Amino acid sequence: NAGVTQTPKFQVLKTGQSMTLQCAQDMNHNSMYWYRQDPGMGLRLIYYSASEGTTDKGEVPNGYNVSRLNKREFSLRLESAAPSQTSVYFCASRRQGDQPQHFGDGTRLSIL
Amino acid sequence: SQQGEEDPQALSIQEGENATMNCSYKTSINNLQWYRQNSGRGLVHLILIRSNEREKHSGRLRVTLDTSKKSSSLLITASRAADTASYFCATDPERGSTLGRLYFGRGTQLTVWP
């Protein structure tokens, strides 16, 4: 049982390049979330998907897009990377109701 | 901001001592959750306390919630070096919502010395 799997684990991009961060969960969870974690800032929600087929903006959505490909997979896309998007990105999932979120180990992204 | 705020930002103790971390928040909540993050890893859920609960225990962890003061505390008893990690509180402010969005604080870095 892998839980939440994120790929890649590390990535270096140049300003203006695009890339997609992948996330998959094998727990049959309904909701999925993308966060970014910056030093001294805690985790901030970028986008979330309350259920398959729906996506909504979180606190810091600018510069990102998401796709809920199916119940298992939720991808985050940077169309034109900027140095301000250098961060650690975490994907999480949750079953429903008053249940905790389960996190992947993160993608460490550096944009030069 | 709906974020919780942890206090202190950093805490350094010896093995065997108790560690207490506090969290304050601004809005009404559905529940409050505590997570741990080891260096270079994702967050791991520790405990969830609902707005109608005042105290919960899980092993060496004790969480209290005071909704009148909009505050929570996490107590780790008899700390071990393996407890060294960052600890985050997260609030779920949306009563009756199915969205499950959480608002995280900036965390407390706990260091437990052998």
Side-chain angles (χ1 to χ4, degrees):
Chain A
N1 189 344
V4 178
T5 302
Q6 292 185 237
T7 56
K9 295 189 186 308
F10 302 93
Q11 185 71 48
V12 179
L13 294 178
K14 295 181 179 179
T15 297
Q17 288 185 316
S18 62
M19 81 161 294
T20 300
L21 281 62
Q22 307 287 352
C23 174
Q25 52 91 8
D26 62 2
M27 297 173 283
N28 200 35
H29 284 175
N30 294 313
S31 303
M32 297 186 73
Y33 309 84
W34 275 106
Y35 296 90
R36 60 178 289 173
Q37 185 177 32
D38 302 297
M41 294 294 292
L43 275 77
R44 292 181 292 170
L45 183 64
I46 305 171
Y47 270 93
Y48 64 99
S49 171
S51 61
E52 186 179 358
T54 68
T55 61
D56 283 288
K57 296 177 180 179
E59 300 173 76
V60 288
N62 291 345
Y64 305 94
N65 284 299
V66 290
S67 295
R68 183 75 183 267
L69 304 171
N70 47 55
K71 191 170 186 179
R72 291 185 63 250
E73 299 172 288
F74 188 37
S75 63
L76 178 72
R77 183 162 178 83
L78 286 71
E79 291 291 351
S80 179
S84 61
Q85 295 176 305
T86 293
S87 188
V88 183
Y89 291 86
F90 288 99
C91 177
S93 69
R94 183 186 73 111
R95 185 178 299 279
Q96 62 185 15
D98 276 355
Q99 297 295 314
Q101 293 185 12
H102 295 255
F103 284 79
D105 278 338
T107 293
R108 284 144 186 84
L109 182 61
S110 293
I111 299 159
L112 307 177
Chain B
S1 170
Q2 294 174 296
Q3 285 181 324
E5 292 293 335
E6 291 92 344
D7 172 65
Q9 288 186 329
L11 181 60
S12 185
I13 59 174
Q14 296 290 130
E15 267 192 331
E17 295 181 337
N18 295 341
T20 300
M21 289 158 269
N22 302 297
C23 173
S24 60
Y25 57 93
K26 296 181 180 178
T27 65
S28 59
I29 60 170
N30 183 33
N31 64 66
L32 185 144
Q33 303 175 31
W34 284 91
Y35 288 81
R36 184 186 74 212
Q37 183 180 33
N38 290 90
S39 180
R41 303 299 300 274
L43 279 73
V44 174
H45 178 258
L46 295 176
I47 199 162
L48 181 153
I49 187 166
R50 295 181 174 82
S51 60
N52 62 352
E53 297 175 314
R54 293 296 168 258
E55 186 171 312
K56 285 189 82 169
H57 296 256
S58 177
R60 294 184 295 112
L61 305 180
R62 172 178 170 254
V63 168
T64 61
L65 179 65
D66 186 335
T67 53
S68 66
K69 295 181 179 179
K70 291 186 168 58
S71 68
S72 174
S73 67
L74 170 66
L75 169 67
I76 304 174
T77 60
S79 296
R80 305 166 182 169
D83 294 327
T84 294
S86 293
Y87 291 82
F88 295 87
C89 70
T91 55
D92 177 353
E94 294 158 328
R95 190 179 297 277
S97 169
T98 59
L99 299 177
R101 289 181 297 189
L102 294 178
Y103 294 85
F104 285 85
R106 301 181 182 191
T108 292
Q109 172 61 52
L110 173 66
T111 302
V112 182
W113 298 100

